[in-house]
Amino acid sequence: VRLLESGGGLVRPGGSLRLSCAAFGFALQSRDMKWDIKWLRQTAAKGREWLGSIDASDGTTYYDASVKGRFTISRDTTKNIVYLQMNNLKSDDTGDYWCATAQEHRGPGTQVTVSS
């Protein structure tokens, strides 16, 4: 089982980024909830945060209230990739972002910097 994030970078406040989480060794679409995928981040402003998740069974998504409406999780089961679309980014969104399975398999993460 392996996860690999990509898509981070430098963006201006108000801008957007789409992060990708490529999954290897298992299928994102599964009846087994252990393959649910969550997105997390570590920021200087708030420390470690759970941002949201997507169910392996049917793609239902859940979000933390702090990002709901700005961040959207989706997936492409043909490519076995989960996405995190982030809009209206703020400086407090600067940090390390990673995806993980319910069993805490995680990727190395990708850095997001929001700065003018």
Side-chain angles (χ1 to χ4, degrees), residues 37-108:
I37 297 294
K38 53 189 173 182
W39 281 97
L40 305 99
R41 69 181 180 185
Q42 179 84 28
T43 68
K46 295 185 179 180
R48 178 176 169 144
E49 295 179 278
W50 173 85
L51 302 174
S53 63
I54 185 165
D55 284 352
S57 58
D58 61 3
T60 300
T61 53
Y62 307 89
Y63 300 94
D64 184 82
S66 65
V67 301
K68 192 171 185 178
R70 288 198 303 133
F71 291 7
T72 302
I73 298 173
S74 62
R75 68 181 182 177
D76 185 333
T77 56
T78 64
K79 295 180 180 180
N80 225 36
I81 297 175
V82 173
Y83 300 101
L84 177 66
Q85 176 68 43
M86 305 186 294
N87 298 328
N88 191 23
L89 284 163
K90 308 171 184 178
S91 58
D92 283 354
D93 293 317
T94 294
D96 293 316
Y97 288 69
W98 68 93
C99 56
T101 68
Q103 292 189 325
E104 303 300 332
H105 298 99
R106 59 160 289 179

